[in-house]
Amino acid sequence: MQQSDVRPQSMERITSKALAERFIEVQVEALRKQVGDSKVLLALSGGVDSSVVAALLIKAIGKNLVCVHVNHGLLRKGEPEQVVKVFRDEMGAELIYVDAVDRFLDKLAGVSDPERKRHIIGKEFIDVFAEEAAKLKGIKFLAQGTIYPDILESKDGIKAHHNVGGLPPELNFELVEPVKLLYKDEVREVGVALGLPAGMVYRQPFPGPGLGVRCTGAITRDRLEAVRESDAILREEFAKNGLEGKVWQYFTIVPDYKSTGIKDGKRSYEWPVIIRAVNTRDAVTATVPALSFELLQHITARITSEVKGVNRVLLDLSPKPTGTIEWE
Ligand code: XMP
């Protein structure tokens, strides 16, 4: 039996470990009842929602959950490895790791329009996932990390529900959506109670098309690597300096543009890295926080010396509006 899509008035907000544990207990029971001895498929991106759904299902049905992690080459540094380490090695999940990096990057080669890039990434993801699902014959259930704001927003017509639809109808799955009545903060509370690492539960929002929209214009492997490496340095420095969890979202962009510089006493002609850091409540508007100049200088020194192909670092000072948070 699937739950209704309406959160009952009487449902208490999950604000403590005890309430999260109670939710887990009830859901484990409900999941076992819904799927019995059948297998359940889950696209595990490593994001908060799908990770919490995976952990809940592992608790409820163990090896009958089959996770598929598609590495499309647009994930942040260390993310695919963390998914494998946490879910396969530590939680003992049945995890299929699909290395689809070449497939995605080949399809994206030469494509510079942001919406076309998004469309290609979304479509290719569904194709890869559907192929994996077809190989695993006879799976009837599909788990999804749908959360309550997804349901509310798709009802209001604000955005297409990113978790629903997309998969070919002939796959004919029955949906398993154990966190669909929860708000994000509740999903996090449940994730902590399930023992997921804090870095996974409290991570900043990350767009579905991943680093692909931060390697602006037509994506090339070398520039994508510059995005990934500079992003890793920025995240490491923000964490070291107590900004993790304080600044809402921060990342780097590497535009398809070069400028003159000097490296090792020679003329260099290389990309700039742009730092974007914003605070917001709902991502509809955003402000730019004041950052320590010393820290920015230190990050600049690290990025220009450690990231191949980069000779400048810029800081985006634009609030939203006029600038959106992402550059594409
Ligand atoms: P913008 O750039 O519109 O971003 O100010 C607002 C928030 O949405 C995220 N974002 C996306 N998330 N798919 C996603 O799942 C996308 O295509 C996408 N584009 C932007 C962005 O990171 C920010 O948190």
Side-chain angles (χ1 to χ4, degrees):
M1 259 296 284
Q2 279 175 268
Q3 286 175 302
S4 131
D5 268 0
V6 182
R7 183 175 169 124
Q9 292 265 319
S10 58
M11 192 169 152
E12 194 175 352
R13 189 96 177 193
I14 302 169
T15 51
S16 65
K17 188 156 185 247
L19 288 169
E21 279 166 353
R22 176 79 194 120
F23 172 85
I24 293 164
E25 217 178 281
V26 172
Q27 276 308 318
V28 163
E29 185 86 2
L31 286 166
R32 286 181 183 151
K33 219 165 150 189
Q34 185 188 356
V35 306
D37 290 331
S38 306
K39 286 194 181 279
V40 178
L41 190 63
L42 169 74
L44 180 59
S45 65
V48 185
D49 308 333
S50 66
S51 295
V52 170
V53 168
L56 256 176
L57 276 154
I58 291 166
K59 202 174 166 79
I61 60 166
K63 293 273 185 201
N64 273 347
L65 172 71
V66 182
C67 303
V68 177
H69 178 66
V70 177
N71 181 2
H72 53 27
L74 306 166
L75 297 167
R76 288 176 289 201
K77 188 172 177 175
E79 278 186 337
E81 293 82 356
Q82 190 192 32
V83 168
V84 172
K85 178 170 164 281
V86 169
F87 290 98
R88 185 190 279 163
D89 303 347
E90 292 169 12
M91 301 182 92
E94 199 60 45
L95 175 77
I96 299 169
Y97 172 83
V98 187
D99 181 346
V101 176
D102 287 341
R103 196 168 152 168
F104 276 81
L105 296 186
D106 289 350
K107 281 254 157 65
L108 287 163
V111 179
S112 56
D113 177 69
E115 291 315 305
R116 262 198 75 209
K117 284 164 69 175
R118 275 192 173 78
H119 178 79
I120 290 171
I121 296 165
K123 183 181 176 303
E124 201 58 21
F125 187 89
I126 288 166
D127 287 354
V128 171
F129 189 72
E131 281 171 30
E132 291 303 317
K135 281 187 213 160
L136 303 161
K137 289 185 181 65
I139 299 192
K140 190 167 96 188
F141 293 96
L142 177 74
Q144 295 200 129
T146 313
I147 67 171
Y148 205 46
D150 298 332
I151 291 177
L152 296 179
E153 285 176 354
S154 54
K155 268 207 188 90
D156 293 344
I158 295 173
K159 66 174 180 194
H161 190 336
H162 67 88
N163 276 315
V164 173
L167 280 175
E170 61 272 19
L171 290 174
N172 219 357
F173 286 119
E174 180 178 325
L175 293 181
V176 177
E177 299 178 298
V179 299
K180 74 173 174 184
L181 297 182
L182 302 193
Y183 289 100
K184 195 79 170 191
D185 53 296
E186 297 178 290
V187 177
R188 293 202 161 108
E189 198 73 62
V190 170
V192 172
L194 283 164
L196 289 174
M200 203 166 233
V201 174
Y202 289 102
R203 63 181 224 160
Q204 47 172 323
F206 186 60
L211 302 181
V213 289
R214 299 173 182 172
C215 185
T216 63
I219 298 169
T220 57
R221 287 170 196 251
D222 49 1
R223 199 156 48 87
L224 183 61
E225 219 35 48
V227 180
R228 195 174 346 258
E229 290 299 322
S230 55
D231 172 75
I233 292 172
L234 186 76
R235 285 192 289 137
E236 188 189 321
E237 289 299 330
F238 269 41
K240 258 199 232 159
N241 289 278
L243 295 171
E244 196 178 42
K246 294 223 172 87
V247 176
W248 195 81
Q249 194 175 14
Y250 44 93
F251 53 89
T252 60
I253 300 120
V254 182
D256 188 9
Y257 182 82
K258 286 184 176 176
S259 74
T260 308
I262 308 162
K263 271 215 186 146
D264 306 322
K266 283 196 238 96
R267 181 182 185 277
S268 77
Y269 191 58
E270 296 176 307
W271 304 300
V273 161
I274 299 159
I275 296 174
R276 184 74 167 138
V278 294
N279 279 327
T280 175
R281 222 164 51 94
D282 51 15
V284 176
T285 61
T287 56
V288 176
L291 297 169
S292 140
F293 193 65
E294 208 184 328
L295 172 62
L296 289 169
Q297 283 179 309
H298 176 63
I299 293 171
T300 302
R302 279 199 63 191
I303 290 178
T304 49
S305 66
E306 293 175 37
V307 182
K308 224 172 140 211
V310 170
N311 62 3
R312 288 177 198 272
V313 174
L314 316 178
L315 175 65
D316 185 348
L317 288 169
S318 329
K320 176 182 179 180
T322 52
T324 48
I325 296 176
E326 302 290 344
W327 270 47
E328 284 194 332

